[in-house]
Amino acid sequence: MMQPTLSITDHTPHTTPIHVIKRNGTLAALDVTKIRAVVEWACSGTQANPIPLEAGLTTRLRNGVTTREIQENLINCSLELCSPTEPDWRYVAGRLHMWSLWKDTLAGRGYQYGDYPQTVARKVAANEYDERILTYTPDELEIADSWINPDWDTDYDYAGATLLTKRYLLKDELPQEAYLTCALLLASVEEPQNRLKWAKKFYEAIAQRKISLATPILANLRIPGGSLSSCFITAMDDNLESIYETLTDTARISKNGGGVGVNVSRIRATGSWVMGKSNASGGVVPWIKLLNDTAIAVNQGGRRAGAVTVSLDIWHLDALEFLEMQTENGDQRRKAYDIFPQLVIADEFMRRVIAKQDWTLVDPYEVKNKLGIDLPTLWGEEFEQAYKTIEAEVGRTLNLYNRINAREFFKTIMRTQVETGMPYLAFKDTINRANPNSHQGYIPGVNLCCESFSNVSPGIEAHCCNLNSLNFATLEIEELPDICQTAVRMLDNTIEITHPPFSASKTHNQKYRTIGVGAMGLADWLAKRQLSYEDLPQMSHLFEEMGYWCTHASMELAKERGAYNSFAGSQWSKGNLIGAKPVDWFRENSEQPQRWEQLSQDIQTYGIRNSHITAIAPNTSSSLVQGCTASILPTYSRFFYDKWAKGSVPIAPPFITNSFWYYQENKHLEQKKVVAAVSTIQQWIDTGISMELLFNLNTGIYFQDEPERTLKAKDIFETLIMAWEQKCKAVYYVRTVQRDDFKEGLTDCSSCAN
């Protein structure tokens, strides 16, 4: 006989009782009122009507159905009901997902929230929590337990709830416990009398999603021995020892979930000399292939493949082959499909691109040995003078070279970007002019997400940076003085408790104390105020506030803890401020010049704690957890579906219902407006900004008066030139929309998802 069934809306009496299997394996009589209560709870406070969800429950409530099946079906029904006109269903699905997490945790350990000290003791004993959490007494842990607000778990939409639970939480761990443990560990280096005060501030900022912790911090801080830095940059010197040391360091970074930047500009070119034999070198590509295979083999603890961006200066003789490493044509033995190529571009090259002049590619080994010029270390006027000397010796002293037209070379770069999205472009002179530590070295390239960088020296110091982001979707300008202080202090504390994966990164941490307070949710901040990406003065005001208060916070920390070790002789020590700009610039361009003048004087008096303070990462995945739009860029679309392993997931900005028409869609926005916005913001950010450009190639998108016109290569060319001219520091991905029904998947920056 068929077992009797019951739908949630079925009131017909049945002779056979229906039983469900609970999460702990026990049987219980079906109580439809409990299901209705959960549906009502999940819909409360939203614009979602619970009746369609009750009616849409498709799992027949047969005898023996599991409560987990019922819950999963309610989630699926909610996702199916989600649409541009009814976007709140994604929050209903998120709450139902959290409900399942609560119930699973109750079944797994016997309690939900309410006994945090027991959770700490159990996880430390199981080697799941860093024992440094025991710095706090049981009484202090009880006090911290009282801060937990379970209601904050209900603020996530489905995408955010799923990412949080799948990527960041440990087994039998709830979100607020994870946030609280992170906050307590971050505050553990504070003076004992102040630890709980700062821990509470940290917890509330994280749990209320005003500050987003970068992925390595949120994922690794609680576990023993975790590296907390998001991004690293190292460099290969032109010898086997350095090359293989760099490969080992790359593996160590990848093991801990960090993103790696490796500069290979010192490596001799194809056809160069090896042990006195001419035409013996295989160039940079064989070593890049080893980096490529290392990224695949050391897969971030099984979570995902490692991520490595390899940078090469634009004058290197192998630059053309470097561009072809990810294209389909050519010798497959000289391909590297799993790294992220980056070209480091000098101002002189860009000037020649505009003027359609020739450009000369040379071998750094020959240049150094015959002319005594260490070309990779040079930038600005020093590079330009050396380059003129080099070009004068081409065909005479120098035999390895390739003279090409700069404009045609740039077109080749553009074609590769349209085909593969890369290479990234790093504007070396712009980056190094803004380097506060030019007295100690130079910056060879940018990190994996193009926003964080500082001095690098092969085998001696490797850039590493700890990141978090302010969530402007949840913040008002008036909160910035306090929230910036909190964010900067968090990251400075992170430097004290991290475990750098290799010695050169530890040296860099101690020498420069580089941090990166970033931003996300700018599109939300603008839409809530009915502003657009053309409203540059308002954006400038917002980021001037952020830049000022983050810099001020680091100065205040220097009063308390001392300046970073290389402060003496730095641009900061000379009174220059964000981007190594003189105080006169702030007198002319800031809204409140007097406070910048005072800050300049205070930094000269007391020092500054961190050599780099602000950097805006792409934070694509972490912004979903934060419930806001990613980074400072426009939202791709007001509403779209992203393909995940379990199907399509609705993605929409948080304030879509009330601010729908004020969200400018990036897929329809002229990218010169994006460049202008990034350039405006960059003035107040001392490191970099992850700037992705998205070009729509469909007809009539950008040209309302010319409905048949499509975007041409000339338009993309002008946008990239504009990025350089307006002093943007780098270009991240270049993406294209090829047809009207194109759905852009979310790109995960594998280590800077912060």
Side-chain angles (χ1 to χ4, degrees):
M1 289 179 59
M2 292 184 61
Q3 293 187 349
T5 60
L6 177 70
S7 76
I8 196 170
T9 56
D10 190 351
H11 300 283
T12 306
H14 296 78
T15 57
T16 306
I18 304 294
H19 289 85
V20 297
I21 301 174
K22 299 173 70 174
R23 292 166 197 264
N24 61 7
T26 62
L27 283 174
L30 172 67
D31 187 349
V32 174
T33 60
K34 288 185 177 180
I35 301 176
R36 289 202 182 96
V38 171
V39 170
E40 290 281 350
W41 167 81
C43 294
S44 63
T46 73
Q47 296 186 16
N49 185 341
I51 295 175
L53 181 54
E54 292 184 11
L57 184 61
T58 56
T59 292
R60 306 303 290 172
L61 301 182
R62 67 189 185 281
N63 196 38
V65 67
T66 67
T67 56
R68 185 176 283 106
E69 284 181 84
I70 297 171
Q71 197 79 4
E72 286 297 321
N73 196 252
L74 287 172
I75 291 171
N76 291 335
C77 289
S78 300
L79 295 175
E80 290 169 5
L81 289 166
C82 196
S83 70
T85 57
E86 294 188 83
D88 277 9
W89 284 108
R90 71 195 196 282
Y91 288 107
V92 175
R95 289 180 179 180
L96 291 169
H97 181 86
M98 284 295 186
W99 179 274
S100 286
L101 176 66
W102 292 345
K103 293 298 183 183
D104 285 340
T105 305
L106 177 61
R109 69 186 193 188
Y111 64 97
Q112 292 181 14
Y113 286 115
D115 198 346
Y116 179 68
Q118 178 184 339
T119 300
V120 168
R122 184 168 49 83
K123 289 199 171 293
V124 169
N127 202 37
E128 294 176 4
Y129 273 2
D130 192 318
E131 64 180 9
R132 287 179 293 184
I133 191 68
L134 299 180
T135 300
Y136 297 91
T137 67
D139 288 344
E140 288 175 320
L141 294 177
E142 287 283 359
I143 293 170
D145 193 7
S146 70
W147 307 336
I148 286 179
N149 184 351
D151 288 343
W152 288 337
D153 284 357
T154 66
D155 294 338
Y156 296 87
D157 70 359
Y158 181 73
T162 303
L163 275 174
L164 175 62
T165 55
K166 301 297 184 185
R167 180 171 292 182
Y168 298 110
L169 298 186
L170 304 176
K171 183 181 179 182
D172 289 339
E173 182 184 50
L174 294 171
Q176 301 308 314
E177 293 169 345
Y179 293 151
L180 181 57
T181 306
C182 286
L184 288 165
L185 286 167
L186 287 169
S188 65
V189 298
E190 300 286 347
E191 294 296 325
Q193 67 272 20
N194 293 325
R195 281 192 314 227
L196 284 184
K197 179 192 80 170
W198 284 110
K200 187 176 184 182
K201 284 181 74 73
F202 294 167
Y203 167 68
E204 290 177 347
I206 299 166
Q208 294 181 76
R209 297 192 292 179
K210 295 188 176 184
I211 295 177
S212 170
L213 299 178
T215 290
I217 300 177
L218 187 53
N220 296 339
L221 175 57
R222 306 187 306 289
I223 64 176
S227 172
L228 309 181
S229 297
S230 294
C231 47
F232 298 80
I233 306 173
T234 185
M236 285 183 175
D237 217 340
D238 190 36
N239 58 72
L240 284 177
E241 291 76 17
S242 176
I243 290 169
Y244 280 95
E245 182 182 9
T246 302
L247 289 168
T248 301
D249 292 341
T250 299
R252 291 193 179 111
I253 296 166
S254 186
K255 174 184 176 182
N256 287 280
V260 193
V262 181
N263 183 263
V264 296
S265 296
R266 288 177 169 84
I267 302 297
R268 66 194 72 188
T270 303
S272 189
W273 291 262
V274 177
M275 299 177 66
K277 297 178 182 179
S278 62
N279 200 31
S281 171
V284 300
V285 172
W287 308 119
I288 293 172
K289 282 181 64 65
L290 288 178
L291 287 166
N292 184 96
D293 294 342
T294 300
I296 297 171
V298 187
N299 59 356
Q300 300 191 4
R303 288 175 291 180
R304 51 192 169 182
V308 180
T309 178
V310 179
S311 62
L312 186 71
D313 277 87
I314 195 72
W315 46 258
H316 198 287
L317 187 59
D318 288 342
L320 285 169
E321 187 181 17
F322 182 78
L323 279 179
E324 296 176 354
M325 285 190 306
Q326 296 193 320
T327 59
E328 295 299 327
N329 58 305
D331 186 352
Q332 291 299 306
R333 294 171 299 179
R334 293 181 72 83
K335 299 294 181 182
Y337 292 111
D338 299 287
I339 57 95
F340 299 82
Q342 171 193 150
L343 279 174
V344 182
I345 296 181
D347 284 353
E348 180 64 18
F349 174 75
M350 296 302 291
R351 286 191 285 265
R352 295 192 190 190
V353 168
I354 294 170
K356 301 182 181 179
Q357 295 174 338
D358 283 345
W359 181 251
T360 307
L361 305 178
V362 295
D363 170 29
Y365 178 82
E366 185 183 28
V367 167
K368 187 173 184 178
N369 277 272
K370 293 184 176 179
L371 300 180
I373 297 173
D374 192 8
L375 198 54
T377 67
L378 305 181
W379 60 275
E381 292 182 5
E382 195 175 357
F383 167 82
E384 290 157 18
Q385 291 299 320
Y387 196 68
K388 289 177 182 176
T389 300
I390 290 167
E391 287 194 305
E393 296 299 324
V394 161
R396 299 168 55 192
T397 308
L398 301 178
N399 300 313
L400 285 175
Y401 66 92
N402 184 9
R403 185 165 281 141
I404 57 177
N405 180 271
R407 175 73 68 94
E408 293 304 314
F409 187 13
F410 198 75
K411 287 180 181 178
T412 302
I413 294 170
M414 287 172 50
R415 281 192 292 269
T416 307
Q417 287 176 319
V418 170
E419 180 181 343
T420 69
M422 296 169 282
Y424 307 149
L425 305 180
F427 299 119
K428 188 174 184 179
D429 294 340
T430 304
I431 288 168
N432 279 283
R433 276 193 295 271
N435 180 12
N437 298 311
S438 55
H439 66 307
Q440 293 280 341
Y442 79 105
I443 302 171
V446 300
N447 70 317
L448 181 65
C449 297
C450 299
E451 91 290 354
S452 179
F453 32 83
S454 61
N455 291 350
V456 173
S457 180
I460 300 173
E461 56 190 32
H463 167 81
C464 58
C465 193
N466 307 291
L467 306 176
N468 61 23
S469 293
L470 309 184
N471 183 352
F472 283 138
T474 63
L475 289 170
E476 301 297 330
I477 287 184
E478 295 74 22
E479 297 179 82
L480 286 179
D482 183 66
I483 207 70
C484 289
Q485 178 195 41
T486 302
V488 168
R489 196 175 192 102
M490 269 186 193
L491 292 181
D492 192 65
N493 288 0
T494 300
I495 294 172
E496 296 301 311
I497 59 179
T498 188
H499 296 272
F502 59 107
S503 60
S505 61
K506 182 177 181 179
T507 299
H508 186 280
N509 255 349
Q510 294 171 342
K511 189 173 181 179
Y512 298 115
R513 303 192 70 83
T514 303
I515 63 173
V517 178
M520 57 174 67
L522 176 61
D524 310 311
W525 189 88
L526 292 170
K528 285 169 69 176
R529 291 158 181 79
Q530 300 182 6
L531 299 172
S532 75
Y533 277 82
E534 288 93 321
D535 290 307
L536 300 181
Q538 290 86 344
M539 281 188 280
S540 181
H541 172 65
L542 174 64
F543 284 94
E544 178 179 349
E545 291 297 302
M546 175 184 166
Y548 174 79
W549 288 113
C550 284
T551 308
H552 185 272
S554 189
M555 180 274 296
E556 290 289 341
L557 270 179
K559 284 184 183 179
E560 179 183 334
R561 299 173 174 178
Y564 72 94
N565 287 346
S566 294
F567 172 76
S570 70
Q571 294 296 315
W572 294 112
S573 71
K574 298 174 182 177
N576 296 329
L577 298 170
I578 292 171
K581 295 191 290 288
V583 74
D584 285 346
W585 185 93
F586 294 87
R587 291 191 184 104
E588 296 173 5
N589 293 279
S590 66
E591 295 182 0
Q592 299 182 53
Q594 295 82 5
R595 67 177 181 176
W596 289 100
E597 292 173 358
Q598 184 62 52
L599 183 58
S600 173
Q601 293 173 15
D602 288 343
I603 290 173
Q604 291 177 79
T605 301
Y606 304 109
I608 197 162
R609 182 66 172 168
N610 313 98
S611 67
H612 292 73
I613 304 163
T614 51
I616 300 179
N619 48 51
T620 309
S621 294
S622 55
S623 66
L624 292 177
V625 176
Q626 294 299 307
C628 66
T629 53
S631 191
I632 57 156
L633 296 175
T635 184
Y636 168 73
S637 180
R638 297 186 189 108
F639 186 95
F640 67 101
Y641 284 92
D642 190 36
K643 291 183 179 179
W644 287 13
K646 289 189 175 181
S648 295
V649 176
I651 307 293
F655 310 107
I656 186 173
T657 304
N658 298 323
S659 305
F660 184 89
W661 295 111
Y662 295 100
Y663 276 105
Q664 289 183 288
E665 295 183 309
N666 205 12
K667 64 182 180 181
H668 295 150
L669 187 62
E670 186 182 0
Q671 294 301 286
K672 288 180 181 179
K673 295 178 181 178
V674 173
V675 171
V678 171
S679 174
T680 298
I681 296 167
Q682 182 65 78
Q683 297 174 101
W684 309 106
I685 300 298
D686 58 42
T687 316
I689 298 173
S690 180
M691 181 175 68
E692 179 176 311
L693 297 177
L694 179 68
F695 296 99
N696 195 320
L697 305 184
N698 292 296
T699 302
I701 297 298
Y702 304 122
F703 313 102
Q704 303 302 319
D705 297 334
E706 303 176 70
E708 299 304 316
R709 183 181 167 188
T710 58
L711 199 73
K712 300 187 183 306
K714 177 177 179 290
D715 301 303
I716 299 176
F717 173 82
E718 290 175 351
T719 305
L720 293 173
I721 295 296
M722 176 184 174
W724 168 68
E725 289 178 334
Q726 295 206 1
K727 296 181 173 55
C728 296
K729 293 182 178 178
V731 176
Y732 191 31
Y733 287 102
V734 171
R735 302 198 181 280
T736 56
V737 177
Q738 299 284 1
R739 56 186 186 277
D740 291 330
D741 63 348
F742 180 85
K743 295 293 184 287
E744 174 73 6
L746 293 177
T747 301
D748 175 20
C749 173
S750 69
S751 68
C752 294
N754 26 55

